[in-house]
Amino acid sequence: MSTRLSINKLTIIKIVLAVFTFIFVFAVLQRLFMPKYASYALEGNLIGEYYNSTMDQDVVLIGDCEVYANFSTVSFWENYGITSIIRGSPQQLVWHSYYLLEDTLRHARKKPQVVVFNVMAMQYSEPARDSEPYNRLNLDGMRLSPVKFRAFQASHLEDEDFLSYVFPLFRFKENWKELNSEDIRFFLQNPQVSLNGFMVRSDTQPAGMTPHPILRGNYDFGEKPMYYLEKMTQLARENDIGLILIKAPVLWPHWFDEWDEQIAQFAAQNDLLYINFYEHVDEIGLDWEKHTFNAGLHLNAFGAELMAKYLGGVLANEYNIPDRRSDFYIAQHWNEMTQQYYRLIGIQQEEISETGKISSFLID
Amino acid sequence: MKKYILLTLLIMLATVIFTACNSEPDNIPDSGNPIHEAENTPPVSDNNTADNSPGDNNGLEAPSDGQTDAGNEDPAGPDVFFLVISGVEINLDENINNIIDQLGEPIVPVFEVQSCAFDGMDRIFRYPGAELYTYPSGDDDFIHTIAFYDDTIRTPEGGVRLGSKVQSVFDTYGEDYELESGMYKFKRSDTLLEFLVEDEMVIGITYRLDIEIQIG
């Protein structure tokens, strides 16, 4: 009897060990094969980097490349002592933004006082076909939670399944052919590519020819983006968070007056502030010869500094966002980040003077 | 114990291999755009190329009998929509280098923007009357959209141009279209020709690959 019991125990132990071994090896392989986004598509790290932040933020900016390239979180701090973070990602659609806001509120120990949402993606009613890579840049970095599941439900393409978002190994297994030193170097943690969501580019490509806008038959925003904009407004209201709608100033792609009117109308109906920065370019001091790194599509770091200075004034003066510079621990954290910022700018400027272009994007 | 671990690893290996055999090709961000399938040959149209130089019709209205300087001998029409500028046939999904070789450099410096998340540049080339939008694939750029910006060029089939009456669109392309908010969309294979009409007048003409491009 006791022999049989001990055999059973031994069998159970062996099974448990086998299961743990399986899980361990699976996890190692998954981590190894996942893209590290260290030398290409660096933006793939943005969503996940949010969870590394240990500080509470008073302001959260949400949206596509028009936020993570165009607003300097460091300048919010330097000029106003405002703590901020950007939850931005490439081709972030409005439903992505909504669930990123939910996710942010779920993880924040202290809710932000203001959320700033860039409305460029309102023009997109559905994801483009073949846009799965962008879906992944938006969702892969999100921590597993019911919010992530709902985000997947709202955004997945026909042939996508949630399991591949939970176990990306099944998606990226082919990467074994391209494993390189980066996969080892960044095995434990992906490289840091932003300063609280702000990606630093200090090179300049002046704006030249701007394409003519391609006219449309219908300028009405689709039901889906409107639905999620309303949900975002509701979520902010329920949490007593101020919501500001913005349109970043870019020369291209074209932002039509018809779209602008709809946003202005929505903002008025919901008692929200809407700022189309394009109307304030001179006031902000933007110069399309100096402040863009890709001919007017995105601002460079110096343009992003000006944008933060302008928006920071609105946040401080109209929303009473506090100046945290007198808080020792917060100041210590942000001052370190500020040093990292200037160090990277210095390296990039040196590269520009030596080679004419920048190759350093990672935060050390 | 070793047997159990070995068995576990074998099961894992089998799982990965099994999945490898049944899943779609990876679609992780890479240096290219998924639109183009590596081939560099443009779609072949069976239409005659034609000189369609600007300024040969001073009136706003184009001929509606289809007898423009572009040939259209096949009554069924060509397989795809294409444009002709200065005698050069421009096809969607065509390597822009083919166009530059024949038409010369664009009239203003190329508008280049780095793709948001992918390596390579999206480029827009302005030629007389139209802008050609390209996407990067490998070392080359391929046309995905052609948009008219003035009335100096016309569609090769019926001479429709900006300012033409909508009837000339129907006379040329028939009535097998999809109408969406003033936009008349004609489809041939995977190419679209769109006419935006306001007050019975064509105010926009666009050729597109039948795909959606999003920026941001």
Side-chain angles (χ1 to χ4, degrees), chain B residues 123-135:
Chain B
R123 294 186 166 92
I124 301 173
F125 299 75
R126 183 178 295 170
Y127 283 99
E131 289 176 342
L132 317 182
Y133 289 63
T134 66
Y135 65 91

Side-chain angles (χ1 to χ4, degrees), chain A residues 17 22 25 40-41 43 64-65 91 120 124 126 129 133-134 171-174 201 209-212 217-218, chain B residues 1 4 8 12 20 23 26-29 108 111 114 116-118 124 126 131 133 181 196 210 214-216:
Chain A
L17 275 175
F22 177 87
V25 176
Y40 72 100
E43 296 87 345
D64 48 30
C65 49
Q91 210 180 92
M120 209 270 264
Y124 301 122
E126 292 295 337
R129 275 175 284 166
Y134 282 106
R171 188 68 200 166
F172 294 109
K173 61 194 175 301
E174 295 291 323
R201 289 281 304 253
M209 176 271 264
T210 305
H212 294 87
N218 183 4
Chain B
M1 186 61 200
Y4 281 95
T8 307
M12 257 184 54
S23 60
D26 265 357
N27 202 13
I28 60 170
V108 293
F111 180 78
Q114 192 162 30
C116 253
F118 301 100
I124 301 173
R126 183 178 295 170
E131 289 176 342
Y133 289 63
S181 305
L196 181 62
D210 189 14
Q214 293 181 349
I215 297 156

Side-chain angles (χ1 to χ4, degrees), chain A residues 291-307:
Chain A
H291 296 139
T292 170
F293 70 81
N294 54 4
L297 186 66
H298 299 120
L299 301 178
N300 61 18
F302 310 115
E305 287 179 5
L306 293 173
M307 291 295 295

Side-chain angles (χ1 to χ4, degrees), chain B residues 16 18 26 72 74 100 112 128 130 141 153 156 163 178 185:
Chain B
V16 172
F18 178 78
D26 265 357
N72 191 11
D74 183 352
I100 295 172
E112 296 184 317
D141 298 294
I153 59 167
E178 188 183 320
K185 298 181 179 182

Side-chain angles (χ1 to χ4, degrees), chain A residues 38-299:
Chain A
S39 55
Y40 72 100
L42 272 61
E43 296 87 345
N45 289 314
L46 287 174
I47 295 297
E49 270 184 20
Y50 164 75
Y51 306 104
N52 299 338
S53 172
T54 53
M55 308 293 285
D56 292 320
Q57 318 297 337
D58 288 322
V59 176
V60 176
L61 293 93
I62 294 187
D64 48 30
C65 49
E66 290 197 3
V67 290
Y68 67 70
N70 292 350
F71 292 92
S72 165
T73 48
V74 173
S75 293
F76 282 128
W77 171 258
E78 276 196 306
N79 289 291
Y80 301 98
I82 290 175
T83 58
S84 65
I85 197 160
I86 296 172
R87 296 219 71 182
S89 44
Q91 210 180 92
Q92 187 183 112
L93 302 175
V94 184
W95 38 99
H96 292 135
S97 303
Y98 169 76
Y99 286 107
L100 283 169
L101 176 57
E102 260 201 28
D103 183 64
T104 305
L105 298 182
R106 188 172 183 273
H107 282 91
R109 285 154 305 189
K110 190 171 148 245
K111 287 173 191 164
Q113 297 186 36
V114 167
V115 168
V116 179
F117 173 58
N118 186 68
V119 295
M120 209 270 264
M122 286 297 295
Q123 63 187 281
Y124 301 122
S125 296
E126 292 295 337
R129 275 175 284 166
D130 302 322
S131 64
E132 188 198 345
Y134 282 106
N135 233 359
R136 293 197 162 269
L137 293 178
N138 278 285
L139 297 181
D140 263 340
M142 239 172 138
R143 279 194 182 159
L144 189 59
S145 72
V147 176
K148 180 167 181 165
F149 181 67
R150 290 198 294 276
F152 168 80
Q153 283 183 310
S155 56
H156 74 89
L157 303 173
E158 269 183 23
D159 57 350
E160 286 185 287
D161 62 273
F162 186 62
L163 207 61
S164 73
Y165 280 86
V166 180
F167 302 115
L169 173 62
F170 294 127
R171 188 68 200 166
F172 294 109
K173 61 194 175 301
E174 295 291 323
N175 283 10
W176 69 269
K177 297 172 195 161
E178 293 161 15
L179 286 180
N180 57 40
S181 58
E182 276 181 3
D183 292 292
I184 306 300
R185 183 181 164 201
F186 298 112
F187 178 81
L188 293 177
Q189 186 163 23
N190 280 21
Q192 186 183 343
V193 301
S194 78
L195 293 166
N196 267 28
F198 168 49
M199 292 191 75
V200 181
R201 289 281 304 253
S202 65
D203 48 340
T204 303
Q205 183 196 347
M209 176 271 264
T210 305
H212 294 87
I214 299 179
L215 302 180
R216 296 170 172 234
N218 183 4
Y219 295 91
D220 292 343
F221 293 137
E223 283 180 21
K224 189 169 177 179
M226 280 307 295
Y227 172 74
Y228 281 99
L229 179 61
E230 283 163 10
K231 271 176 81 78
M232 197 182 298
T233 307
Q234 185 67 25
L235 185 61
R237 196 173 288 141
E238 284 168 5
N239 285 277
D240 199 21
I241 296 169
L243 176 64
I244 301 176
L245 306 180
I246 60 162
K247 175 64 188 71
V250 295
L251 296 179
W252 193 83
H254 191 76
W255 178 252
F256 289 97
D257 289 344
E258 290 85 346
W259 292 339
D260 204 56
E261 285 162 16
Q262 288 173 75
I263 294 294
Q265 193 178 4
F266 180 87
Q269 286 167 352
N270 290 277
D271 199 21
L272 305 176
L273 175 64
Y274 170 50
I275 309 171
N276 180 349
F277 288 101
Y278 196 76
E279 294 168 359
H280 304 276
V281 164
D282 292 338
E283 204 180 333
I284 295 165
L286 288 177
D287 180 343
W288 298 111
E289 291 292 306
K290 297 178 186 168
H291 296 139
T292 170
F293 70 81
N294 54 4
L297 186 66
H298 299 120
L299 301 178

